[in-house]
């Protein structure tokens, strides 16, 4: 009695200890941390901690990322980068990954071996149960053993499914997601340190035409793609090359990092399959003997070369498909960035044809992938079917009989091996792709970084320096454009003007000051700015605003963030109203802010898309003036502004109060404008600095006129205006051409007025729209319609039903075959006659059954199964291609003809996300998911039908369990579909931030803001990881509960066959299908969920396919002689930026 009490107390204590949370809940900055390491052991291993977030998703109307717990520190990108980054610098990428993650990889390996052993436990229990029934001995002893076996069947099913689910979870949580995050962080941080090797393309001297040099850049080249009717300028070609380079870097994150992480996440499959293969061979050897097993595997090996050949070609086709997708993405990106030029040239149709052509190549390659996938499916089906058919046939031929326990246990083992053997070629192909991707990432990580060649000094000094544009190859100096023998001493707190012909190397000289060039010889000295952590920017005030050694930079191509005008000017600094208002007025921005709908709170889009060229330049100049920098590096800030505006910028900003006591280094073609207040003038020509002196000294030397009269291109400040400036006296040149805004500037200086900010009304770039609730039926209808309509899908459905009927028929025939070797029982005879109506002479009461007859029918059914199993997916793929083609055409048509206002307010990354990620899901994934859903749903029905042969009560039980499964699935979907939408939305900001940062990396590095942008990208990577983490957690939560339901069904069938008067052959038939119920119901509900989640891509594509477009009618045929006179008449014109905005011109 005391022992029983002690055992009970120990059991209660054990259960209590497993039910107690392991630690208190943890928060970071007010956000709850994921509770994986907080909840009790029961909740942990039952995936129950996901229920809280799922419940929240069910009850909250609009789930956001902030509602999700943040990930623990070992899954956050900042921690992962510190932890992994140092090893990645020491070793190759693969070695670093294996070295840093070996504990997780070792644990997965051991767990995979354990899972492989547990995987066949249900088949072992089934075999013993059927042997028990075949012995036919009655009595309580058998009943007791039967009870143990039935309970063992349920326990083994739960254990096997739990091990599989938990293995997949730890592979995702401990390997897949952390590796993807750390690789993304590593790629981005490397990109912020890489040399700007594209800059060396600017080193070529520019040829002159008709005495006028072509600029290194022209404002018109910015964000304008080439057209089919005009040749590309040098700058346009350069911008295109830069964009392709940036896109290839972004692809490292979007494609290559994912491939590497996915392969390491699923690497355990090799170990798992090897373990299962060993265990199954031992098991089958005990059942069938070595002769039968060897014969079966010999046939399987004959199919293996076809499998390998198909897998190799499938992998090659996938690689070709990715290359074509890269080409498609480049063309679409080019079109979206040059959409204004396309529309103004009325070339929407030509560009749609260009996109359609590359899309045609993509679909042709996708069709090849589907063909090879169909052939792979044929190999996957053929191998296990022939393996089981030949093995059983040889066994029957050698032994003269075939028992139910041997036949049905062997078939369930072969079925269990089917998926394992089929997925190995696919995982191997993924491994090859991951190897290529890792090489691409390693090439990026091994690229040369900027060298810190600066020597600390109180001023900027060139000492016999030879500089060149950055290069990542060992080029000969003679093959590179260089500036040689530079000896320049730039005075502190003065204005230095650098002049020279176009292409002479002025911008290269500025780049060398910023550390963005290669120093080949000599030395460059400059003040070393304090680090970001030492500046305490958030605490800056008027008394200590300027940091003498800090640098601000205005690039030749202005870089604008996708933010408000105020945020662009502040650039992370605190808002000082007085300084801000002076900057706005000095940069002639007040009038612009007055007419903008939301003033300085106006969102200005990616790269300032809704600002003019001059406005962009003035905003970037305002950013430099507002900064704390004591050194301003300015590259041609007057090239896109009107004469009076340029004069105001020079007089009030560059040389006014805000520019005083700062070292200003200006590259310009307007030397005459700047001479009166210049402290130092540098002339760059013929690969060196020809003159570098004060204006007074240059005038004394008689070379000042030579510098002023350097030939330049025509700028917005006209040559006539410059000539007038040259001939005027110094006092006249000092005269200010003041506009109303400049007079306001003086009032501000005197404290009499301020620039009043407008209340913010509308965001220029709206947040991405997220649908709510389940996918609308109209989305399914649109997809079915574009894929061929319901009348096409009905025959496909009948083909799936017919295939499942053949599967049932083949198993039923095996039950007849096995029964033919023993005396038929009355109950079995009655059941067969009742349901199937076989003729009496089918059953042979002799051990010498006609083996050829049974083998012929069995092998014939197996061959037909291979054919129907292959063609059912082939027809699904044909419809998938058709739907993809039509959906793409509709969205492309709408995007190219969307109003410019819509295109300006939607980031390019958001549109590209639909053209890439969403269409990749529609092209490659959705068709396969639909086919798998049909197969698994029909399989569940077939398993239920098989159970009916045992007991009619099976229908009631199966229906009840199916209802329970769909209730669980619905509970899951209400959270998962919202989370899938969040995950899709969370991708775009990563690529948008990455692309924007790479575009402005020179400016960011000059301002020493790299750490800030690294933190931003980390936040976006973590936000996406948070959504993806919970999406997979929900998936595992669902799988565990559905497997429990499947175990209940199989255990119930086992109880019926054990305790009812059921023939062993019929029992084997029913149990063989019952063991598949767990997998079938799990995969059916999972693919049901996958189809709905994949339909999210169709939903997002449909959203952009139905946007308002410009009117396509109303064209007028112009007379043949039009235009007859060069006159444009405008009358009663009232225009605004948008329908909801006030009129700008009246």
């Amino acid at each position: 009695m005391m022992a029983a009490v002690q055992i009970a107390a120990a059991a209660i204590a054990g259960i209590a200890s497993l039910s107690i949370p392991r630690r208190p809940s943890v928060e970071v900055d007010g956000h709850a941390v994921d509770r994986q390491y907080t909840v009790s052991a029961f909740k942990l291993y039952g995936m129950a901690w996901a229920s809280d977030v799922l419940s929240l998703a069910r009850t909250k109307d609009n789930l956001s990322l902030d509602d999700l717990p943040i990930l623990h520190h070992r899954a956050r990108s900042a921690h992962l980068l510190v932890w992994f980054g140092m090893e990645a610098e020491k070793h190759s990428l693969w070695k670093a990954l294996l070295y840093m993650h070996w504990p997780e990889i070792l644990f997965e390996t051991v767990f995979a071996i354990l899972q492989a052993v547990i995987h066949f436990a249900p088949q072992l229990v089934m075999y013993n149960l059927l042997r028990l029934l075949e012995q036919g001995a009655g009595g309580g002893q058998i009943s007791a053993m039967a009870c143990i076996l039935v309970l063992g069947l349920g326990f083994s099913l739960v254990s096997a499914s739990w091990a599989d689910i938990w293995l997949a979870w730890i592979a995702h949580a401990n390997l897949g997601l952390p590796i993807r995050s750390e690789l993304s962080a590593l790629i981005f941080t490397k990109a912020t340190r890489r040399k700007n090797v594209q800059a060396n393309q600017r080193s070529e001297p520019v040829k002159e035409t008709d005495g006028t040099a072509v600029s290194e850049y022209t404002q018109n080249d910015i964000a304008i793609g080439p057209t089919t009717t005009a040749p590309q300028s040098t700058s346009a070609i350069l911008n295109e090359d830069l964009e392709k380079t940036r896109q290839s870097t972004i692809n490292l994150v979007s494609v290559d990092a994912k491939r590497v992480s996915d392969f390491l996440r699923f690497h355990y499959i090799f170990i798992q399959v090897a373990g299962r293969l060993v265990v199954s061979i031992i098991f089958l050897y005990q059942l069938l003997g070595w002769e039968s097993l060897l014969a079966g595997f010999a046939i399987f090996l004959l199919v293996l070369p076809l499998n390998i050949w198909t897998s190799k070609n499938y992998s090659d086709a996938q690689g070709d498909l990715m290359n074509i997708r890269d080409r498609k993405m480049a063309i679409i990106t080019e079109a979206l960035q040059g959409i204004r030029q396309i529309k103004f040239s009325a070339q929407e149709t030509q560009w749609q044809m260009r996109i359609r052509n590359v899309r045609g190549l993509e679909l042709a390659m996708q069709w090849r992938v589907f063909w090879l996938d169909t052939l792979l499916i044929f190999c996957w089906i053929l191998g296990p079917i022939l393996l089981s058919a030949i093995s059983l046939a040889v066994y029957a031929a050698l032994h003269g009989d075939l028992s139910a326990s041997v036949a049905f246990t062997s078939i369930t083992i072969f079925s269990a091996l089917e998926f394992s053997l089929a997925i190995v070629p696919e995982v191997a192909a993924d491994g090859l792709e991951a190897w290529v991707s890792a090489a691409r990432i390693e090439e990026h990580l091994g690229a040369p970084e900027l060298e810190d060649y600066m020597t600390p000094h109180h001023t900027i000094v060139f000492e016999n320096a030879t500089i060149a544009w950055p290069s990542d190859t060992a080029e000969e100096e003679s093959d590179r454009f260089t500036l040689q023998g530079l000896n320049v001493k730039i005075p502190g707190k003065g204005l230095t003007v650098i002049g020279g012909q176009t292409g002479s190397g002025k911008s290269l000289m500025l780049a060398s000051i910023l550390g963005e060039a290669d120093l080949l010889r000599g030395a460059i000295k400059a003040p070393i700015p304090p680090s970001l952590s030492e500046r305490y920017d958030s605490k800056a005030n008027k008394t200590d605003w300027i940091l003498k050694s800090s640098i601000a930079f205005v690039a030749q191509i202005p870089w604008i963030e996708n933010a408000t005008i105020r945020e662009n000017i502040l650039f992370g600094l605190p808002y000082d109203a007085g300084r801000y208002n002076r900057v706005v007025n000095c940069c002639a921005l007040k009038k612009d802010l007055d007419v903008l709908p939301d003033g300085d709170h106006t969102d200005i889009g990616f790269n300032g898309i809704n600002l003019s060229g001059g406005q962009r330049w003035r905003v970037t100049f305002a950013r430099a003036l507002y900064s704390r920098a004591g050194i301003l590096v300015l590259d041609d800030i007057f090239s896109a502004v009107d004469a009076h505006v340029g004069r105001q910028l020079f007089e009030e900003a560059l040389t006014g109060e805000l520019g005083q006591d700062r070292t200003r280094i200006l590259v310009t073609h307007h030397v005459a404008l700047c001479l009166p207040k210049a402290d130092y003038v540098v002339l760059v020509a013929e690969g060196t600095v020809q003159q570098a002196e004060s204006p007074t000294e240059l005038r004394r030397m008689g070379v000042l006129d030579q510098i002023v009269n350097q030939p330049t291109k025509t700028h917005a400040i006209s040559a006539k205006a410059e000539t007038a400036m040259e001939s005027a006296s110094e006092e006249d040149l000092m005269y200010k051409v003041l506009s109303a805004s400049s007079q306001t500037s003086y009032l501000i200086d005197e404290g009499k007025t301020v620039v009043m900010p407008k209340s913010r009304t509308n965001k220029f770039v709206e947040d991405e729209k997220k649908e709510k609730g389940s996918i609308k039926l109209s989305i399914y209808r649109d997809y079915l319609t574009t894929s061929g309509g319901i009348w096409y899908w009905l025959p496909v459905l009948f083909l799936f039903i017919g295939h499942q009927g053949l599967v049932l028929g083949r198993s039923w025939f095996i039950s007849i075959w096995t029964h033919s070797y023993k005396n038929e029982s009355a109950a079995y005879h009655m059941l067969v006659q009742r349901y199937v109506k076989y003729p009496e002479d089918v059953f042979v009461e002799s051990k010498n059954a006609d083996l050829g007859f049974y083998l012929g029918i069995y092998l014939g059914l197996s061959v037909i199964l291979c054919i129907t199993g292959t063609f059912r997916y082939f027809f699904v793929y044909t419809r998938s291609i058709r739907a993809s083609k039509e959906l793409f055409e509709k969205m492309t048509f709408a995007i190219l003809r969307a109003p410019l206002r819509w295109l300006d307010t939607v980031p390019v990354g958001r549109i590209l996300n639909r053209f890439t990620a969403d269409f990749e899901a529609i092209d490659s994934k959705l068709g396969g998911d639909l086919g798998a859903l049909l197969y698994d749903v029909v399989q569940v029905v077939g398993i239920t039908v098989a159970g009916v042969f045992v007991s009619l009560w099976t229908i009631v039980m199966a229906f009840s369990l199916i209802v329970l499964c769909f209730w669980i699935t619905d509970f899951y979907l209400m959270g998962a579909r919202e989370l899938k939408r969040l995950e899709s939305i969370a991708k775009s900001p990563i690529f948008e931030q990455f692309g924007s940062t790479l575009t402005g990396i020179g400016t960011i590095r000059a301002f020493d803001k790299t750490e800030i942008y690294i933190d931003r990208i980390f936040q976006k990577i973590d936000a996406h990881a948070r959504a993806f983490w919970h999406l997979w957690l929900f998936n595992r939560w669902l799988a565990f509960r559905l497997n429990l339901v499947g175990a209940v069904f199989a255990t119930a069938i086992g109880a019926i066959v054990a305790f009812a008067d059921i023939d062993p052959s019929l029992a084997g038939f029913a149990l063989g299908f019952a063991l598949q119920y767990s997998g079938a119901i799990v995969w059916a509900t999972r693919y049901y969920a996958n189809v709905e989640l994949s339909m999210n891509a169709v939903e997002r594509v449909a959203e952009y396919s139905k946007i308002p477009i410009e009117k396509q009618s109303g064209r007028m045929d112009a007379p043949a002689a039009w235009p007859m006179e060069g006159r444009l008449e405008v009358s009663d014109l009232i225009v605004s930026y948008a329908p909801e905005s006030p009129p700008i011109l009246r």
Side-chain angles (χ1 to χ4, degrees):
M1 181 66 180
M2 182 60 66
V5 171
Q6 290 176 340
I7 292 173
I12 293 172
I15 293 173
S17 65
L18 295 175
S19 305
I20 299 173
R22 290 169 294 160
R23 71 178 187 188
S25 296
V26 178
E27 293 186 354
V28 175
D29 297 329
H31 292 280
V33 175
D34 180 76
R35 302 178 67 236
Q36 178 180 2
Y37 298 105
T38 299
V39 296
S40 66
F42 280 137
K43 286 190 174 183
L44 173 66
Y45 296 112
M47 319 296 291
W49 83 93
S51 300
D52 296 337
V53 183
L54 273 171
S55 299
L56 177 65
R58 284 173 59 89
T59 56
K60 188 167 184 179
D61 291 336
N62 191 13
L63 190 71
S64 67
L65 283 171
D66 290 335
D67 296 320
L68 302 177
I70 63 175
L71 303 185
H72 59 88
H73 73 283
R74 283 179 289 180
R76 293 180 217 144
S77 51
H79 169 81
L80 289 168
L81 179 66
V82 174
W83 178 73
F84 178 74
M86 292 185 293
E87 290 301 323
E89 294 176 358
K90 299 177 184 177
H91 307 287
S92 68
L93 184 62
W94 279 116
K95 286 183 180 179
L97 287 169
L98 295 176
Y99 178 76
M100 296 303 293
H101 293 282
W102 72 264
E104 292 84 3
I105 293 173
L106 179 62
F107 180 78
E108 279 191 28
T109 301
V110 174
F111 204 95
I113 295 172
L114 176 64
Q115 196 276 336
V117 176
I118 298 174
H119 183 74
F120 291 101
Q123 284 78 13
L124 179 62
V125 175
M126 172 185 170
Y127 172 74
N128 285 286
L129 184 57
L130 291 178
R131 291 291 295 168
L132 194 67
L133 294 176
E134 285 175 342
Q135 293 172 4
Q141 182 179 1
I142 292 181
S143 298
M145 181 57 68
C147 287
I148 293 173
L149 289 174
V150 169
L151 293 175
L153 181 66
F155 180 77
S156 63
L157 282 169
V158 173
S159 299
S161 62
W162 175 85
D164 194 36
I165 290 165
W166 190 253
L167 179 59
W169 167 248
I170 60 177
H172 168 79
N174 295 347
L175 269 182
L177 188 139
I179 288 176
R180 185 175 181 180
S181 293
E182 70 194 15
L183 287 179
S184 299
L186 195 63
I187 291 166
F188 181 81
T189 52
K190 174 66 179 185
T192 62
R193 301 193 304 268
R194 280 191 67 172
K195 287 184 177 181
N196 186 15
V197 296
Q198 297 82 18
N200 60 14
Q201 299 179 52
R202 287 177 278 183
S203 62
E204 297 296 331
V206 181
K207 296 181 179 179
E208 296 183 10
T209 304
D210 299 330
T212 303
V214 180
S215 171
E216 297 170 79
Y217 291 99
T218 62
Q219 176 61 25
N220 293 333
D221 292 326
I222 299 173
I224 296 178
T227 69
T228 56
T229 58
Q232 288 178 269
S233 67
T234 303
S235 298
I237 295 172
L238 174 58
N239 288 341
E240 182 180 348
D241 291 340
L242 290 173
E243 182 58 40
K244 289 179 180 177
T245 304
R246 285 193 291 267
Q247 189 56 55
S248 65
T249 307
I250 294 172
N251 284 344
L252 293 177
V253 174
S254 62
V255 177
D256 295 300
K258 183 178 184 299
R259 282 180 175 176
V260 173
S261 65
D262 283 351
F263 174 71
L264 288 174
R265 170 184 167 190
F266 293 115
H267 83 281
Y268 69 86
I269 290 176
F270 288 110
I271 301 150
Q272 192 180 57
V273 169
R276 288 182 182 181
L277 197 58
V278 171
V279 174
S280 64
I281 289 175
I282 295 173
F283 202 164
L284 290 170
Y285 172 76
Q286 297 294 327
L287 284 175
L288 302 175
W290 68 270
E291 301 94 340
S292 304
L293 190 60
L294 186 61
F297 274 100
I299 297 297
F300 180 78
L301 291 176
L302 289 177
V303 183
L304 190 59
L306 176 62
N307 201 333
I308 294 174
W309 179 87
T310 308
S311 298
K312 182 180 181 304
N313 282 273
Y314 179 81
S315 176
D316 293 342
Q318 284 282 14
D320 293 340
L321 180 61
M322 291 303 300
N323 291 333
I324 295 174
R325 281 176 174 164
D326 286 344
R327 288 173 55 191
K328 180 193 74 175
M329 189 171 184
I331 292 175
I332 293 175
T333 303
E334 188 179 357
L336 292 175
Q337 291 185 339
I339 193 66
R340 273 181 163 74
Q341 186 71 16
I342 292 172
K343 286 183 172 294
F344 296 160
S345 304
Q347 291 190 339
E348 293 94 337
T349 303
Q350 291 91 324
W351 274 87
Q352 186 171 357
M353 285 297 299
R354 186 178 176 186
I355 295 172
R356 182 183 297 158
N357 289 338
V358 72
R359 173 64 173 172
L361 295 175
E362 181 187 17
L363 289 181
M365 188 54 63
Q366 182 67 67
W367 182 239
R368 175 174 169 77
V369 168
F370 281 156
W371 263 106
L372 292 168
D373 196 20
T374 303
L375 193 56
L376 273 178
I377 290 172
F378 174 73
C379 295
W380 298 345
I381 295 173
L382 182 66
I385 286 178
L386 284 184
L387 179 60
S388 61
I390 299 301
S391 297
L392 291 179
V394 172
Y395 177 88
L398 291 176
H399 295 82
D401 67 353
L402 185 63
S403 66
S405 58
V406 171
F408 287 105
T409 304
S410 300
I411 288 174
T412 56
I413 294 173
F414 288 131
S415 298
L417 276 177
E418 180 178 353
F419 175 76
S420 301
L421 294 175
I423 202 173
V424 167
E426 185 175 347
V427 176
D430 291 343
L432 293 175
E433 293 177 353
W435 185 268
V436 174
S437 291
R440 282 161 50 91
I441 294 173
E442 197 162 2
E443 181 183 5
H444 171 76
L445 297 179
E449 299 181 2
L450 291 175
E451 299 176 4
D452 185 9
Y453 51 72
M454 289 294 180
T455 302
H457 198 262
H458 63 281
T459 58
I460 299 172
V461 179
F462 290 80
E463 292 184 351
N464 198 30
T466 298
I467 58 177
W469 287 112
S471 175
D472 56 358
T473 59
E475 295 180 86
E476 295 291 335
E477 185 176 328
S478 59
D479 297 330
R480 304 174 66 179
F481 177 83
T482 60
L483 291 179
Q484 301 183 2
L486 305 185
N487 288 286
V488 178
K489 295 182 179 179
I490 295 177
K493 298 185 179 181
L495 173 62
T496 297
V497 178
I498 301 177
Q501 294 186 22
T502 301
S504 59
K506 303 183 298 297
S507 295
L508 173 57
M509 193 170 178
L510 290 190
S512 68
I513 296 172
L514 300 174
E516 296 281 348
D518 282 349
L519 178 63
L520 305 182
R521 285 187 302 278
I524 301 177
K525 300 179 179 180
I528 304 301
S531 66
L532 185 65
S533 59
E534 296 172 335
R535 292 204 301 257
Y536 300 100
D537 284 343
S538 61
K539 299 180 180 180
N541 54 64
K542 295 179 181 180
T543 59
D544 63 352
W545 188 271
I546 300 298
L547 299 174
K548 295 180 181 180
S549 58
S550 185
I551 295 177
F553 175 52
V554 177
Q556 204 169 39
I557 298 180
W559 175 68
I560 305 290
E561 283 195 280
N562 184 6
T564 66
I565 292 177
R566 175 180 289 191
E567 289 167 343
N568 270 280
I569 294 175
L570 298 182
F571 207 42
L573 292 176
Y575 175 71
D576 183 300
R579 184 177 186 84
Y580 177 81
N581 291 326
R582 287 198 300 274
V583 167
V584 166
N585 280 274
C586 288
C587 294
L589 285 170
K590 186 177 184 300
K591 280 190 174 181
D592 301 288
L593 298 183
D594 289 341
V595 299
L596 288 174
D598 298 321
D600 63 352
H601 287 296
T602 301
D603 282 306
I604 53 179
F606 175 73
N607 208 25
I609 192 69
N610 64 325
L611 297 180
S612 68
Q615 287 173 329
R616 294 180 206 173
W617 243 288
R618 283 180 281 136
V619 169
T620 54
F621 186 31
R623 175 200 293 155
L625 273 183
Y626 188 83
S627 73
R628 304 182 69 193
I631 303 172
L632 305 184
V633 180
L634 314 171
D635 198 346
D636 204 8
I637 61 174
F638 301 127
S639 62
V641 295
D642 296 332
H644 71 282
V645 175
R647 189 61 176 271
Q648 180 180 342
L649 293 179
F650 177 75
E651 297 288 354
E652 297 187 27
L654 189 61
T655 61
E657 178 188 352
L658 293 171
Q660 293 299 319
D661 294 328
R662 286 171 141 178
T663 302
R664 290 144 290 159
I665 306 169
L666 172 67
V667 162
T668 184
H669 292 284
H670 308 291
V671 179
L673 171 67
C674 307
L675 272 179
K677 292 192 176 182
D679 299 293
Y680 199 68
V681 178
V682 177
L683 173 63
V684 181
E686 299 180 359
T688 188
V689 170
Q690 290 190 338
Q691 302 293 338
E693 296 289 349
S694 67
T696 304
E697 182 63 21
L698 291 174
R699 185 178 287 110
R700 186 189 65 78
M701 296 167 59
V703 296
L704 188 60
D705 291 340
Q706 176 189 350
I707 297 174
V708 171
N709 295 322
Q710 284 288 318
T712 63
K713 68 168 187 174
T714 301
H715 279 272
I717 300 180
S718 67
K720 183 177 180 180
E722 286 207 31
T723 304
M725 294 174 193
E726 292 177 42
S727 61
S729 65
E730 187 169 321
E731 291 76 12
D732 292 336
L733 287 172
M734 293 292 289
Y735 180 75
K736 300 180 180 180
V737 183
L738 299 177
S739 63
S741 60
S742 64
Q743 293 186 24
T744 306
S745 174
Y746 281 106
L747 295 176
I748 292 172
D749 292 338
E750 296 172 10
K752 297 179 180 179
T753 185
V754 297
V755 178
M756 297 300 295
K758 296 184 180 181
S759 60
R760 188 167 186 177
T761 56
N762 297 306
K763 293 180 66 177
F764 183 75
V765 178
E766 297 294 337
D767 294 333
E768 188 165 3
K769 181 182 177 183
K770 182 171 72 71
E771 298 289 343
K772 299 179 183 179
S774 60
I775 303 295
K776 297 180 176 62
L777 289 177
S778 60
I779 301 298
Y780 290 95
R781 185 176 62 249
D782 289 345
Y783 184 81
L784 290 178
T785 301
T786 55
S787 63
I790 190 65
W791 295 110
Y792 180 87
W793 284 97
L794 281 177
V796 174
L797 176 62
F798 290 145
L799 182 60
F800 275 84
I801 293 173
H803 176 80
Q804 185 60 36
L806 287 171
V807 172
L808 280 172
R810 191 180 71 142
S811 294
W812 178 256
F813 181 77
I814 292 175
S815 72
I816 297 173
W817 184 4
T818 57
H819 186 77
S820 68
Y821 290 103
K822 59 173 288 181
N823 290 330
E824 136 188 60
S825 68
Y828 180 78
H829 176 74
M830 179 181 68
L831 193 62
V832 171
Q833 288 299 314
R834 176 179 177 185
Y835 289 108
V836 185
K837 307 298 183 184
Y838 277 110
E840 293 287 338
D841 57 1
V842 169
F843 302 101
V844 182
E845 297 184 8
S846 170
K847 269 191 148 183
N848 299 319
D850 186 357
L851 182 61
F853 169 76
Y854 288 109
L855 283 177
I857 294 179
Y858 179 65
L859 292 174
L861 288 172
S862 299
V863 171
I864 295 173
L865 274 175
C866 293
I867 296 172
T868 57
T870 301
F871 276 97
R872 58 192 172 150
Y873 284 102
F874 172 77
F875 289 119
V876 170
Y877 289 152
T878 59
R879 296 301 93 191
S880 175
I881 286 286
R882 176 173 174 174
S884 296
K885 181 179 179 181
E886 292 199 20
L887 289 170
F888 189 91
E889 282 289 320
K890 289 180 179 179
M891 191 172 102
T892 305
F893 182 90
I895 293 295
L896 289 177
R897 291 160 181 82
L900 278 175
R901 179 69 177 183
W902 185 88
L903 291 164
D904 287 345
T905 57
V906 177
V908 171
R910 196 176 294 176
I911 301 175
L912 286 177
N913 197 16
R914 283 164 171 78
F915 273 115
T916 53
D918 289 326
F919 266 106
E920 184 176 353
I922 295 170
D923 294 348
S924 304
K925 190 172 183 292
L926 186 53
D929 286 347
L930 278 172
L933 174 62
L934 285 173
Y935 169 72
D936 288 310
V937 168
V938 173
Q939 187 182 22
V940 170
V941 175
I943 292 170
T944 305
V945 171
V948 171
F949 286 93
V950 176
S951 171
L952 290 175
W953 287 104
T954 304
I955 296 179
V956 178
M957 180 176 57
F959 179 77
S960 301
L961 292 179
I962 288 173
V963 170
L964 176 60
C965 285
F966 276 96
W967 181 83
I968 296 172
T969 304
D970 182 66
F971 187 94
Y972 156 79
L973 276 176
M974 290 188 71
R977 71 168 64 97
E978 294 299 314
L979 205 54
K980 179 61 179 177
R981 287 166 177 152
L982 283 178
E983 190 265 340
S984 297
I985 291 173
K987 283 181 187 176
S988 300
I990 296 176
F991 304 138
E992 290 170 13
Q993 182 70 65
F994 207 163
S996 174
T997 303
L998 290 178
T999 302
I1001 190 62
T1003 301
I1004 292 170
R1005 288 197 289 226
F1007 277 84
D1008 199 16
K1009 299 278 188 179
T1010 305
E1011 292 180 26
I1012 293 175
Y1013 283 82
I1014 289 175
D1015 289 340
R1016 286 186 188 178
I1017 201 71
F1018 284 176
Q1019 292 172 10
K1020 290 174 170 58
I1021 291 172
D1022 291 342
H1024 177 259
R1026 193 192 313 183
F1028 193 54
W1029 167 284
H1030 285 90
L1031 194 61
W1032 187 248
L1033 174 62
F1034 291 175
N1035 182 284
R1036 297 294 84 197
W1037 177 93
L1038 173 69
F1040 181 67
R1041 279 143 187 80
L1042 294 182
N1043 273 286
L1044 287 179
V1045 175
V1048 170
F1049 180 82
T1051 304
I1053 295 295
I1056 292 174
V1057 301
F1059 303 118
D1061 188 12
I1062 301 296
D1063 185 87
S1065 297
L1066 184 59
F1069 169 78
L1071 275 177
F1073 280 101
L1075 291 185
Q1076 298 176 32
Y1077 185 84
S1078 290
I1081 197 68
V1082 166
W1083 285 106
T1085 50
R1086 182 182 297 177
Y1087 277 118
Y1088 167 67
N1090 283 354
V1091 166
E1092 177 151 347
L1093 296 179
S1094 295
M1095 279 291 173
N1096 173 248
V1098 180
E1099 179 184 60
R1100 286 159 56 83
V1101 167
E1103 176 193 356
Y1104 277 19
S1105 300
K1106 298 174 182 177
I1107 58 175
I1109 64 174
E1110 297 167 330
K1111 292 182 179 180
Q1112 302 300 302
S1113 59
R1115 292 184 177 180
M1116 299 178 61
D1117 294 330
W1122 185 89
M1124 290 168 282
E1125 56 180 322
R1127 183 167 61 93
L1128 178 66
E1129 183 176 329
V1130 178
S1131 60
D1132 299 328
L1133 178 67
I1134 300 177
V1135 293
S1136 63
Y1137 283 108
E1140 67 274 9
S1141 301
I1144 302 301
L1145 296 178
R1146 297 177 176 85

